[in-house]
Amino acid sequence: IIIVLTVVFLYSSGTIQFDSELENMSYHTDDLKFKEQELKGLNSTIEKRIYLFVTDTIYEKACAKNFELFQKLEALRKTGDVKNILSAGQFLVPEKIRKERTKIWINYWNGKETNTMNTLYKTADSIGFNKAAFLDFKSWIERKNVEYVLTDSLLTMIGLNNLVEIEKTKTTFISTILVSNDKRESVKTQIRQLKGIEVFDRAEVASSLLTMVQNDFNLILILSA
């Protein structure tokens, strides 16, 4: 019987493979999956969260790279490849982009400021507002007395201070994205085409560790036997 079973098992062993997907190695009840989804804000069976790192010794270069990454992520979000983005890139723009946007702002209001403010003052007076209430808005249009908020203060105000780490020797920007499992590899491939971007996928790291075991699985079986 042992000899017959051995022959059968040897014949069928060619169709048996080692599963390197970590989440397939344990059983989760539906209630536990639901609680995990509520806690993490994602359904781990169909979507994953990926972490992206941008690091440079110069702050402006790191900021420019992070802004480029954010633009790429926004493009992927519009196509449906990325579900959710958490990044400081939309608030911390490079100095070059900021100057370009300031120029566009000034050109837009050029010739429109006087009529706009006269209309605003007239309307404000008719409903009982003081004209002085809109002086800050007038200064904003004219770009007078503009005060820039410090990076740390801005990020703390909007709750994203944990996405930027500024040190004496380097600056690191962290972004997280939520992607479907079927689009995960495609998204990572597209992001890795950008220079200076490090992609960290916890599921991929765990699978890589298990794949190391998979590659030596037959040897482990022989030694165990």
Side-chain angles (χ1 to χ4, degrees):
I1 292 175
I2 293 175
I3 293 174
V4 172
L5 290 177
T6 301
V7 172
V8 173
F9 293 154
L10 284 175
Y11 178 76
S12 60
S13 63
T15 60
I16 299 176
Q17 295 181 346
F18 187 82
D19 189 357
S20 61
E21 185 63 38
L22 184 63
E23 295 192 0
N24 293 338
M25 296 190 174
S26 59
Y27 173 73
H28 300 280
T29 63
D30 293 337
D31 181 59
L32 183 60
K33 290 180 180 179
F34 176 74
K35 290 179 179 178
E36 182 184 19
Q37 183 176 350
E38 282 192 324
L39 179 64
K40 293 184 176 180
L42 58 87
N43 187 344
S44 59
T45 59
I46 61 174
E47 53 193 13
K48 291 290 186 295
R49 191 173 297 279
I50 299 176
Y51 298 83
L52 311 172
F53 297 87
V54 176
T55 304
D56 202 287
T57 55
I58 302 175
Y59 172 82
E60 273 302 320
K61 289 185 177 180
C63 186
K65 289 180 183 177
N66 190 59
F67 184 73
E68 181 185 4
L69 171 62
F70 176 74
Q71 289 181 311
K72 179 64 176 179
L73 295 178
E74 271 294 300
L76 292 173
R77 186 183 63 82
K78 290 179 180 179
T79 59
D81 292 337
V82 172
K83 292 185 175 181
N84 181 269
I85 304 171
L86 184 60
S87 171
Q90 58 184 320
F91 302 103
L92 302 180
V93 298
E95 183 69 14
K96 180 180 178 181
I97 302 296
R98 187 184 64 80
K99 289 181 178 179
E100 290 177 355
R101 291 179 176 180
T102 301
K103 185 177 180 180
I104 294 173
W105 174 268
I106 294 174
N107 291 336
Y108 174 80
W109 284 106
N110 188 22
K112 300 178 181 178
E113 175 194 343
T114 303
N115 291 334
T116 301
M117 293 309 302
N118 288 338
T119 303
L120 183 59
Y121 289 150
K122 183 178 179 180
T123 306
D125 185 61
S126 66
I127 58 177
F129 275 94
N130 193 316
K131 292 183 179 180
F134 301 95
L135 291 179
D136 288 341
F137 177 70
K138 187 174 185 296
S139 298
W140 189 32
I141 293 177
E142 296 174 347
R143 301 294 295 172
K144 293 180 180 179
N145 303 323
V146 176
E147 296 181 1
Y148 295 100
V149 181
L150 295 176
T151 300
D152 293 342
S153 301
L154 173 63
L155 295 175
T156 302
M157 287 166 51
I158 59 181
L160 297 179
N161 52 308
N162 60 334
L163 297 181
V164 183
E165 184 177 352
I166 302 176
E167 301 176 354
K168 293 182 178 180
T169 57
K170 65 178 181 179
T171 299
T172 302
F173 287 90
I174 307 171
S175 302
T176 65
I177 57 175
L178 189 65
V179 296
S180 301
N181 288 339
D182 57 340
K183 296 182 179 180
R184 186 176 61 179
E185 294 303 323
S186 173
V187 169
K188 289 192 295 185
T189 300
Q190 294 183 64
I191 293 175
R192 282 172 174 153
Q193 292 176 355
L194 301 176
K195 294 183 179 180
I197 310 298
E198 296 294 333
V199 180
F200 178 75
D201 183 359
R202 290 183 298 179
E204 182 181 43
V205 173
S207 296
S208 298
L209 294 174
L210 290 175
T211 300
M212 296 171 62
V213 178
Q214 175 188 358
N215 294 335
D216 294 331
F217 194 58
N218 290 333
L219 176 61
I220 294 174
L221 279 176
I222 294 173
L223 294 177
S224 298

